[in-house]
């Protein structure tokens, strides 16, 4: 199937690379496919920590629960770290129980238990994704070679914050392997790096595993739909969502927990009528007005949140008024909050940013012709960088941006912003058409993408998919991402820029 003419026109510029894949449960557990990772991907951490702590016994000490909770908090930290516009993140203390392989652990704070596991505690406070990845791996005495091989800019020395690092591997001369007949690990690594996973080979190696997992998850998927429909109807909610890709069993457990609370405090929970509830890592109301239920919080915290909803609604009305006042001062440009492109902010945090920005605008008396910028959009960021124009057409405006520079930038970029927005709408339309065509052609049960995948990347992926014959996709759940993986419930993840044909050497 050839791309339509307007697709070729819209795609005149190559799509920009998406954000790195975020942490999630999508780890490959079967087949011979290669788990491809972008540089410094946070999924590396999830994989190595899960493997390092596997086979934890279910005991009253609750080690598995500690690991699971720490992974959730780590995921939230890394997701915010990867989003543009963040200013700072609160230090996050994590604890992991990891199977001990070192017979003589040197760090006194890592206590080796009688069961063969040691507790590793560290605090995340770095602002750079790559540094955070290395810091965690080194803190857990895990190899960082796979990270260094993916990024040539990685520092050769470990981070100063890390107290304990792995011993430097011995580097043998090539003649040693020629004389002994042993395999040279560098040659093996080079051979693997020359191999490139292809879509058809990966599906051949992992298709059966995905089918089995998907089949096993079907009863839970039905239960999840039932629970979601019942709670949405009972509480008259607009929707129930999840911030991250938790497994189906985990989601069902969260809905059961909310259902029990609804039985105990039905009147209190009905205050959320018309709202969207999102299960996430902290409780409160989001910048866009969604009710956030922290999965680490107990029912008491959730109840208090629902009781405070009327005051949140009042703050939301004041926030919307503040957005309108800013829009009026800036010639009618719309102030929006796009959660996929910004750090996760509470309603209070977002109101504070708007208030600071509005005060600066009022003091400097920036002048725009009334309604001259209607139809344009801006995102308010908390960093100190200069304003910019996003490829999707919205302006990224720092809170502390100099108003005079802001006025000049918006006026000179307004026409380009309108063109970008027009291109975005065209791409969205084409994207939806190709998603529907691909789902129909391959008889997919579901076709979706990760939030970090742009419309241009999704269009490119689906256009090339439609030229293939892939009978193994029939009835599957297919996710377009940045990597290959089989999720725990049978969803197939493929990179948007997948390759086909024989492996390239």
């Amino acid at each position: 199937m050839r791309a339509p003419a307007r697709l070729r026109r819209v795609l005149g510029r190559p799509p920009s690379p998406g954000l790195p894949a975020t942490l999630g449960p999508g780890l490959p557990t079967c087949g011979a496919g290669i788990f491809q990772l972008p540089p410094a991907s946070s999924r590396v951490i999830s994989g190595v920590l899960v493997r390092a702590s596997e086979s934890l016994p279910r005991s009253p000490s609750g080690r598995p629960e500690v690991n699971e909770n720490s992974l959730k908090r780590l995921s939230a930290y890394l997701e915010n770290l990867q989003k543009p516009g963040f200013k700072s993140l609160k230090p996050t203390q994590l604890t992991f129980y990891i199977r001990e392989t070192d017979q003589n652990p040197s760090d006194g704070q890592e206590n080796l238990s009688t069961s063969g596991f040691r507790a590793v505690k560290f605090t995340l406070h770095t602002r750079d994704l790559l540094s955070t990845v290395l810091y965690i791996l080194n803190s857990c005495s895990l190899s960082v070679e796979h990270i260094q091989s993916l990024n040539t800019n990685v520092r050769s020395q470990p981070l100063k914050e890390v107290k304990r690092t792995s011993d430097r591997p011995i580097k043998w001369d090539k003649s040693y392997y020629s004389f002994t007949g042993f395999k040279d690990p560098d040659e093996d690594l080079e051979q693997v790096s020359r191999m490139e996973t292809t879509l058809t080979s990966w599906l051949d190696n992992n298709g059966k595993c995905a089918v089995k997992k998907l089949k096993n998850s079907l009863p839970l998927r039905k239960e999840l739909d039932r629970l979601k429909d019942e709670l949405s109807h009972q509480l008259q909610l607009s929707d129930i969502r999840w911030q991250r890709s938790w497994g189906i069993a985990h989601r069902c457990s969260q809905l059961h927990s909310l259902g029990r609370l609804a039985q105990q405090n039905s009147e209190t929970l009905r205050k959320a009528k018309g709202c969207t509830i999102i299960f996430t890592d902290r409780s409160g109301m989001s910048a866009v007005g969604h009710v956030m239920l922290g999965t680490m919080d107990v029912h008491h915290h959730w109840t208090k949140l629902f009781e405070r909803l009327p005051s949140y609604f009042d703050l939301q009305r004041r926030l919307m008024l503040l957005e309108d006042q800013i829009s009026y001062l800036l010639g009618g440009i719309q102030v929006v909050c796009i959660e996929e492109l910004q750090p996760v902010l509470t309603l209070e945090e977002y109101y504070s940013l708007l208030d600071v920005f509005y005060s600066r605008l009022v003091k400097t008396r920036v002048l725009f012709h009334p309604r001259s910028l209607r139809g344009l959009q801006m995102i308010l960021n908390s960093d100190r960088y200069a304003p910019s124009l996003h490829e999707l057409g919205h302006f990224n405006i720092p809170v502390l941006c100099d108003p005079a520079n802001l006025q000049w930038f918006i006026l000179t970029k307004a026409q380009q912003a309108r063109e970008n927005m027009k291109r975005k709408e065209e791409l969205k339309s084409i994207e939806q058409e190709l998603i529907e065509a691909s789902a129909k052609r391959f008889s997919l049960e579901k076709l979706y993408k990760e939030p970090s995948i742009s419309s241009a990347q999704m269009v490119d992926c689906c256009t090339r998919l439609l030229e293939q014959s892939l009978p193994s996709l029939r009835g599957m759940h297919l996710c377009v991402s940045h990597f290959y993986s089989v999720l725990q419930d049978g969803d197939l993840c493929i990179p948007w820029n997948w390759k086909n044909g024989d492996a390239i050497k």
Side-chain angles (χ1 to χ4, degrees), residues 275-322:
C275 293
T276 293
I277 286 181
I278 296 183
F279 288 97
T280 180
D281 296 289
R282 56 174 174 168
S283 296
M285 179 169 280
S286 73
V288 296
H290 298 328
V291 178
M292 302 188 301
L293 298 182
T295 57
M296 300 293 293
D297 294 334
V298 296
H299 282 182
H300 172 73
H301 296 117
W302 287 4
T303 302
K304 290 294 183 182
L305 169 61
F306 283 104
E307 290 174 349
R308 292 197 302 268
L309 283 182
S311 62
Y312 276 117
F313 295 148
D314 179 64
L315 179 60
Q316 189 178 23
R317 286 189 290 269
R318 289 160 51 197
L319 184 147
M320 295 172 66
L321 178 60
L322 197 53

Side-chain angles (χ1 to χ4, degrees), residues 369-419:
H369 191 279
R371 297 182 295 278
S372 61
L373 299 177
R374 289 184 64 180
L376 298 182
Q377 297 179 336
M378 62 165 279
I379 287 179
L380 198 60
N381 292 326
S382 58
D383 57 36
R384 294 178 179 268
Y385 301 107
S388 63
L389 175 62
H390 195 277
E391 62 175 3
L392 297 181
H394 61 263
F395 290 96
N396 289 310
I397 307 299
V399 174
L400 302 180
C401 177
D402 177 66
N405 292 338
L406 172 64
Q407 182 179 20
W408 175 86
F409 183 83
I410 291 180
L411 289 177
T412 56
K413 298 291 184 179
Q415 183 57 36
Q416 183 63 52
R418 295 187 188 280
E419 293 175 3

Side-chain angles (χ1 to χ4, degrees), residues 340-400:
E340 293 83 1
L341 301 177
Q342 296 177 260
V344 179
L345 298 174
T346 64
L347 195 66
E348 300 96 324
E349 293 168 341
Y350 188 49
Y351 182 88
S352 178
L353 292 179
L354 289 170
D355 189 48
V356 171
F357 185 69
Y358 175 72
S359 298
R360 291 173 60 83
L361 286 179
V362 171
K363 289 179 181 179
T364 53
R365 295 292 181 181
V366 176
L367 298 178
F368 286 91
H369 191 279
R371 297 182 295 278
S372 61
L373 299 177
R374 289 184 64 180
L376 298 182
Q377 297 179 336
M378 62 165 279
I379 287 179
L380 198 60
N381 292 326
S382 58
D383 57 36
R384 294 178 179 268
Y385 301 107
S388 63
L389 175 62
H390 195 277
E391 62 175 3
L392 297 181
H394 61 263
F395 290 96
N396 289 310
I397 307 299
V399 174
L400 302 180

Side-chain angles (χ1 to χ4, degrees), residues 10-27:
V10 171
L11 291 180
R13 290 179 295 171
S16 62
L19 297 174
T22 54
L23 179 66
L27 301 173

Side-chain angles (χ1 to χ4, degrees), residues 162-416:
V162 181
K163 296 181 179 179
R164 182 184 179 201
T165 58
S166 304
D167 293 333
R168 188 178 69 176
I170 299 175
K171 184 72 174 180
W172 294 99
D173 188 84
K174 297 289 184 181
S175 59
Y176 167 78
Y177 300 104
S178 300
F179 180 77
T180 61
F182 294 142
K183 286 188 176 181
D184 185 347
D186 288 339
E187 290 185 359
D188 288 344
L189 183 61
E190 291 174 3
Q191 183 179 3
V192 170
S193 64
R194 290 194 300 265
M195 301 295 291
E196 190 168 13
T197 301
T198 65
L199 177 62
T200 51
S201 65
W202 188 83
L203 289 175
D204 289 342
N205 292 327
N206 295 273
K208 291 182 179 179
C209 172
V211 170
K212 181 179 179 181
K213 287 186 174 184
L214 179 60
K215 183 178 180 180
N216 292 338
S217 72
L218 291 180
L220 272 179
R221 290 179 186 271
K222 292 181 179 180
E223 175 69 2
L224 179 66
D225 291 340
R226 184 188 67 81
L227 290 170
K228 184 178 177 180
D229 290 342
E230 285 184 359
L231 280 171
S232 297
H233 177 74
Q234 179 183 353
L235 303 178
Q236 301 182 54
L237 302 173
S238 294
D239 196 8
I240 299 177
R241 303 177 190 169
W242 286 263
Q243 186 183 16
R244 294 201 311 278
S245 300
W246 280 302
I248 303 298
H250 198 165
R251 297 188 182 197
C252 285
S253 176
Q254 292 163 351
L255 291 183
H256 278 299
S257 185
L258 180 61
R260 288 192 295 270
L261 184 61
Q263 292 178 352
Q264 301 166 3
N265 301 275
S266 58
E267 291 301 320
T268 300
L269 267 64
R270 284 199 180 95
K271 293 181 179 180
K273 177 181 178 181
C275 293
T276 293
I277 286 181
I278 296 183
F279 288 97
T280 180
D281 296 289
R282 56 174 174 168
S283 296
M285 179 169 280
S286 73
V288 296
H290 298 328
V291 178
M292 302 188 301
L293 298 182
T295 57
M296 300 293 293
D297 294 334
V298 296
H299 282 182
H300 172 73
H301 296 117
W302 287 4
T303 302
K304 290 294 183 182
L305 169 61
F306 283 104
E307 290 174 349
R308 292 197 302 268
L309 283 182
S311 62
Y312 276 117
F313 295 148
D314 179 64
L315 179 60
Q316 189 178 23
R317 286 189 290 269
R318 289 160 51 197
L319 184 147
M320 295 172 66
L321 178 60
L322 197 53
E323 287 180 333
D324 290 341
Q325 291 172 329
I326 293 173
S327 176
Y328 176 78
L329 292 176
L330 295 181
I333 190 171
Q334 183 184 10
V335 184
V336 297
C337 183
I338 305 178
E339 292 187 317
E340 293 83 1
L341 301 177
Q342 296 177 260
V344 179
L345 298 174
T346 64
L347 195 66
E348 300 96 324
E349 293 168 341
Y350 188 49
Y351 182 88
S352 178
L353 292 179
L354 289 170
D355 189 48
V356 171
F357 185 69
Y358 175 72
S359 298
R360 291 173 60 83
L361 286 179
V362 171
K363 289 179 181 179
T364 53
R365 295 292 181 181
V366 176
L367 298 178
F368 286 91
H369 191 279
R371 297 182 295 278
S372 61
L373 299 177
R374 289 184 64 180
L376 298 182
Q377 297 179 336
M378 62 165 279
I379 287 179
L380 198 60
N381 292 326
S382 58
D383 57 36
R384 294 178 179 268
Y385 301 107
S388 63
L389 175 62
H390 195 277
E391 62 175 3
L392 297 181
H394 61 263
F395 290 96
N396 289 310
I397 307 299
V399 174
L400 302 180
C401 177
D402 177 66
N405 292 338
L406 172 64
Q407 182 179 20
W408 175 86
F409 183 83
I410 291 180
L411 289 177
T412 56
K413 298 291 184 179
Q415 183 57 36
Q416 183 63 52

Side-chain angles (χ1 to χ4, degrees), residues 85-108:
F86 79 91
K87 182 176 181 181
S88 62
L89 294 173
K90 294 181 179 180
T92 302
Q93 189 176 56
L94 302 176
T95 300
F96 287 99
Y97 284 95
I98 297 180
R99 181 177 294 279
E100 181 59 76
T101 57
D102 187 352
Q103 298 300 323
N104 299 298
S106 59
D107 196 334

